[in-house]
Amino acid sequence: MAHTSQSLRRGAALLAGTVAALGLLTACGNDTSGKSPESVSGTAAPATGDSAGSSASDSGTAPSGTASRSTGSTASGGASTDGGSATGGGTKTAGTASGSRCHTSELSASVGGNDPGAGQENFPIVFTNTSGRTCTVRGFPGAAFVNASGGRLGADPQRESGSTPSTVTLKPGQSAWAGLTFSNPEISGAKTATPAALEVTPPDERDALKVTWKGGTVPVSGNSSSVRLTVLSAGTGA
């Protein structure tokens, strides 16, 4: 009986050892299985790299593409705008230069013959473009009767009411005219003087042109002594 009990104890111990060994083997198997995720994790690393690469690609490509488009758009827009502006500006500048206001130094002045009517004396003041470029005049000229010493006779002419200014383009040699009118002094009874000259100033200019006056006496004071001017029109008024 004692021997049998010892045998049973040995068998139980052996069985326990075997179970323990199997447990160790199972644990080893689990360790090996645990290493498999590490291998998967290692395999998944490129995916992480792809993700990072994709992110880098997206962050690199998108901003680069955006910057490229932005730069291209800006450069193109800038070049187009600048070019258009430069071209357009150049064209307009050239056009403006050739069609800008006529200056006194570019004009000659004359006074045409009297065209009387209904107690009025009517003289055309004529400006002719003597320059080599096209220029423009618009509005009312200035005028003043002067004596031989240059002193003014009478009040400055008034602008005719109801006149509508328009731009008159003068090519070299072309003319524009404005009417100078006043009541006949013999009819109006105004005091008179005989000017030596008529000083005329183109619109928006300060320098005057002096034209010898051959139209006889003009009203300088008293009744109906006003002298009036009309706006400039194309031609000579003849």
Side-chain angles (χ1 to χ4, degrees), residues 63-79:
S64 174
T66 303
S68 176
R69 286 192 294 273
S70 175
T71 302
S73 174
T74 302
S76 175

Side-chain angles (χ1 to χ4, degrees), residues 151-177:
R152 294 200 172 190
L153 300 173
D156 291 342
Q158 300 176 355
R159 294 178 175 183
E160 188 72 55
S161 61
S163 297
T164 303
S166 60
T167 300
V168 181
T169 300
L170 301 179
K171 294 180 179 179
Q174 292 185 329
S175 301
W177 72 282

Side-chain angles (χ1 to χ4, degrees), residues 7 30 64 67 83 87 91 97 142 146 164 178 188 236:
S7 296
N30 289 339
S64 174
T87 303
T91 301
V146 296
T164 303
S188 67
T236 61

